[in-house]
């Protein structure tokens, strides 16, 4: 981890306090070389003057709006527990009566629900939580350094209890691992029980490009090696039942290369049927499903109704 003084923070209504991440998600697109990281991804760049920059920017804004964070790098990495930069930024957003929408996988966001609750009472606050698999064992393999899905579900429930609206990112879906109807049903069930307003899903698949492709393939090999070391390829609680089902088959890495080559968009062979099933499940539970429509709702800032002048 290293500290820098950034020149700006909002672009134009979103921010990234941290550059890099230690969650260890094996599929993370932010590792791609196109983002031109000049440091190791785990050597997190901390914009230590982010709160000061944010306050200066919000003070100058003529019109209030939603302020977003987490699209590039999670604002609730473990270091945030001590640094509290995200919390300070939320306090500034509340101070100037802006709205807030954040995306995370971490239960550390619970620490700041008090501020988010106050923001939501004044304007609007939205917590976006990424859920990729309903199987905690698989979650611990593909997202090894962050809380598992069941814990994120508890966070969503706590948001509901406080009246804070939530959105779930059901993305990415990894072909041959969690591109199953069972997984779709499990995630939608979590969302329904937690009162989630909407699900964002870009399709049943993921993106792989230079940088994150190599990391993803190496991770698949490491997980497979752990399974073999346990005595049976992909078996045991350490590796989870999903990998156990792949025992005796060609390695996942080779299967990906054979099926998808060097495609940027890696879509599941079951995408059409699973997207149709997801849409049906969301309709049944009254959950908004989409991308542009959900983003539009999140970006809508609730302007106060004009006050009527009293005649006397």
């Amino acid at each position: 981890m290293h500290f820098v003084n950034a020149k700006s923070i909002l672009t134009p209504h979103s921010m990234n306090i941290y550059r890099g991440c230690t969650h260890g998600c094996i599929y993370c697109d932010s590792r791609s070389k196109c983002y031109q990281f000049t440091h190791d991804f785990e050597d997190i760049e901390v914009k230590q003057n982010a709160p000061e920059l944010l306050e200066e920017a919000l003070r100058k804004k003529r019109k209030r709006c939603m302020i977003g964070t987490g699209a590039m790098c999670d604002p609730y990495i473990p270091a945030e527990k001590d640094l509290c930069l995200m919390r300070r930024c939320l306090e500034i957003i509340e101070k100037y009566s802006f709205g807030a929408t954040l995306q995370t996988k971490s239960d550390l966001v619970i620490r700041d629900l008090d501020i988010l609750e106050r923001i939501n009472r004044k304007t609007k606050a939205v917590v976006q939580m990424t859920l990729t698999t309903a199987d905690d064992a698989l979650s611990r393999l593909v997202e090894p350094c962050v809380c598992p899905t069941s814990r994120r579900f508890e966070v969503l429930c706590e948001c509901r209890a406080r009246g804070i609206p939530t959105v779930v990112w059901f993305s990415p879906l990894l072909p041959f691992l969690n591109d199953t109807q069972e997984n779709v049903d499990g995630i939608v069930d979590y969302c329904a029980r937690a009162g989630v307003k909407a699900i964002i899903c870009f399709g049943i698949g993921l993106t792989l490009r230079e940088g994150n492709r190599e990391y993803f393939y190496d991770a698949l090999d490491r997980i497979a090696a752990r399974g073999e070391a346990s005595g049976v390829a992909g078996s045991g609680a350490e590796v989870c039942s999903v990998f156990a089902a792949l025992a005796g088959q060609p390695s996942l890495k080779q299967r990906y290369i054979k099926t998808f080559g060097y495609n940027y968009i890696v879509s599941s062979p079951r995408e059409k049927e699973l997207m149709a099933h997801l849409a049906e499940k969301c309709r049944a539970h009254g959950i908004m499903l989409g991308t542009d429509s959900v983003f539009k709702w999140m970006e809508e800032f609730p302007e106060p109704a004009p006050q009527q002048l009293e005649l006397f």
Side-chain angles (χ1 to χ4, degrees), residues 177-190:
L177 282 176
N178 61 346
D179 58 338
T180 65
Q181 183 172 315
E182 179 184 15
N183 190 41
V184 170
D185 291 345
I187 293 296
V188 175
D189 179 64
Y190 270 141

Side-chain angles (χ1 to χ4, degrees), residues 98-289:
F98 281 72
T101 177
L102 59 89
Q103 182 182 352
T104 186
K105 288 188 180 82
S106 173
D107 58 353
L108 182 56
V109 67
I110 283 182
R111 180 200 65 185
D112 295 341
L113 290 187
D114 58 333
I115 307 177
L116 289 166
E117 189 175 6
R118 293 198 299 269
I119 292 172
N120 194 51
R121 284 200 297 264
K122 292 172 67 175
T123 57
K124 180 179 175 182
V126 181
V127 171
Q128 305 168 62
M129 183 67 70
T130 300
L131 306 182
T132 61
T133 172
D135 184 332
D136 273 3
L138 181 59
S139 175
R140 291 187 179 98
L141 287 175
V142 299
E143 305 153 340
C145 302
V146 69
C147 62
T149 304
S150 60
R151 175 57 177 160
R152 294 178 223 171
F153 164 68
E154 293 173 353
V155 174
L156 292 169
C157 290
E158 182 63 24
C159 289
R160 178 193 58 193
R162 292 172 178 253
I164 300 169
T166 54
V167 170
V168 160
W169 285 63
F170 190 23
S171 175
L173 279 295
L174 309 181
F176 317 127
L177 282 176
N178 61 346
D179 58 338
T180 65
Q181 183 172 315
E182 179 184 15
N183 190 41
V184 170
D185 291 345
I187 293 296
V188 175
D189 179 64
Y190 270 141
C191 292
R193 289 160 58 197
V196 167
K197 180 177 181 64
I199 291 177
I200 292 174
C201 183
F202 294 96
I204 310 299
L206 74 159
T207 58
L208 291 177
R209 48 188 166 186
E210 188 177 6
N212 80 308
R213 179 189 295 110
E214 292 78 8
Y215 187 89
F216 178 69
Y217 285 166
D218 287 346
L220 292 180
D221 281 345
R222 288 195 303 271
I223 294 170
R226 284 172 57 186
E228 292 168 0
S230 71
V232 180
S235 69
E238 187 180 41
V239 181
C240 92
S241 60
V242 177
F243 276 84
L246 301 172
Q249 298 184 26
S251 74
L252 271 178
K253 175 181 175 180
Q254 293 303 318
R255 197 172 177 185
Y256 267 83
I257 292 173
K258 181 179 180 180
T259 306
F260 306 112
Y262 286 88
N263 292 351
Y264 164 49
I265 298 177
V266 175
S267 299
S268 166
R270 305 183 61 191
E271 180 173 36
K272 185 176 180 180
E273 64 177 276
L274 290 175
M275 283 300 295
H277 183 70
L278 174 60
E280 180 182 347
K281 296 289 289 186
C282 286
R283 280 194 299 271
H285 289 286
I287 299 172
M288 184 191 306
L289 173 65

Side-chain angles (χ1 to χ4, degrees), residues 81-97:
K81 183 176 182 179
D82 296 321
L83 295 174
C84 293
L85 292 175
M86 181 60 187
R87 184 170 179 85
R88 287 172 59 194
C89 286
L90 287 175
E91 290 171 341
I92 292 164
I93 290 171
E94 181 197 2
K95 175 182 176 181
Y96 289 93
S97 297

